[in-house]
Amino acid sequence: MSTPTPSFRPCWCGNAQLEPFSEHYRACRNCETLVSMVDHDKDVSRVADDNADLYGRDYWFGHMENDLGFANIYERARIDLTERCLFWLETLLRFQRPPARILELGSAHGGFVALMRWAGFDARGLELSPEIAALATQLFGVPMWQGPIEDQPIPAGSLDLIAAMDVLEHLPDPVATLRHCGSRLAPGGQLLLQTPQYREGATLEQFQAEGHRFVEHLKEREHLYLFSATSVKRIAAAAGVPHITFEPAVFSHYDMFVVMSAAPIAPLPAEARQPLTETAGARLVQALLDLYQAIAESKVANAVLAADVDFLKRIGQERLAQGSAEGAQLNATIADLTARLAHSEQDRADRLAVIEQQGAEIGRAAMLDGVVAELTARLQHSEQDRADRLVVIEQQGAEIGRAAMLDGVVQNLTARLQHSEQDRADRLVVIERQGAEIGQLLQLWNDRDAVAKRLAELKRPVASPARRREKHD
Ligand SMILES: [Zn+2]
């Protein structure tokens, strides 16, 4: 096996100003190709020692299985047939009809060559390792060439199509090899190539961040160039097969599948598949293609279903996230409103305290007003009373003065009265005395008859007056 040494070789396009990409690759930003920094010290396309050279038997029996974890070539011979080989054949039948002349470069176990032959194509395989070339013939009975295509006795213009699946990236001089292939094609002949697709402009960090499976192709000892859509178009033009179409790749997540030609490329009409009904082998291949198609449709249906489920899941998650966001928004609003409410309640309580305090003061003021009013009323009453009393007092005072005066009068009058009384008494005495005298006189008057009688009786003596008054009392 060759020893890798650091490479400063330029890109296939001639650009030597390469940018770092990874530990073992540089990126050509002129054509968007990743260039391996491994420079093999000999031509890896020529296997001289099948036990030691890169693409010798160990590549298939040791490296593939042990280093890369792939199935060994016997297992691949079985599983590739129902998978990639049928896919490739389906694409091939859109551009070539049996019995077109076909060479497959890097045909490995030879299964695809066998399938093409059963379909009616004049197909042959090519392998670098003598042992693998022999194995393909052993496994599938297919004709093989061994060694690089440049070494084969293929007449110019003798092939209708050269297929090279996962080969382009291994070629030490891809332009030269493609150009040689083109020269072996008949007019209108095509190259059918599958190769990893580098997403132009992308960095290793981006691929790693995406978990992109392209990084599986960063095998610097084998994959000397990793092309992009741009650089595969440019290398086609550089190799003299400038017409190119991109077909769906079986592993479309990291591969590209292209048809190149020196002439414009046009897919064949459906009738071109007529030869598949003409032999027993071809009918069997058609049956396999039908089965593959049905499975592919089922896979598509399942993928659509899975995509629908994924879509619904994503929508559900988005709705959930949206709901959560709305919920969070609502929670935030509720929290905000709660805080505002608490603040408002506190404010209300504070204001209530102020109101109560003011109310108490107002009540006290009202009470004081009442007191003042009452006191005022009392004062007024008191004043009135005082005034009334003053009047009374004055009146009484006046009356007292009058009384005093009256006392004087009374005394005077009393004195007078006493005097009068005395006088009266005196006079009464006089009067009484006079009265008595008068009475006596009147009595005498009244008694004049008696007196006369008496006088008549004067014959008799007159009695004393005292005795007479006693007699009348
Ligand atoms: Zn380049």
Side-chain angles (χ1 to χ4, degrees), residues 11 13 28 31:
C11 178
C13 73
C28 173
C31 71

Coordinates of all heavy atoms in Angstrom, one line a residue, residues 11 13 28 31, ligand 1:
C11 N -5.7 21.7 -7.9 CA -7.0 21.1 -8.2 C -6.9 20.6 -9.7 O -6.1 21.0 -10.5 CB -8.1 22.2 -8.1 SG -9.7 21.6 -8.5
C13 N -8.7 21.4 -11.9 CA -8.9 22.6 -12.8 C -7.7 23.4 -13.0 O -7.7 24.3 -13.8 CB -10.1 23.4 -12.3 SG -9.7 24.4 -10.8
C28 N -11.1 24.0 -3.5 CA -10.9 24.8 -4.7 C -12.1 25.7 -4.9 O -13.2 25.2 -5.2 CB -10.6 24.0 -5.9 SG -10.5 25.1 -7.4
C31 N -13.5 26.1 -8.8 CA -14.5 25.2 -9.4 C -15.3 24.5 -8.4 O -16.2 23.7 -8.7 CB -13.8 24.2 -10.3 SG -12.8 23.0 -9.4
Ligands
ZN1 ZN -10.8 23.4 -9.1

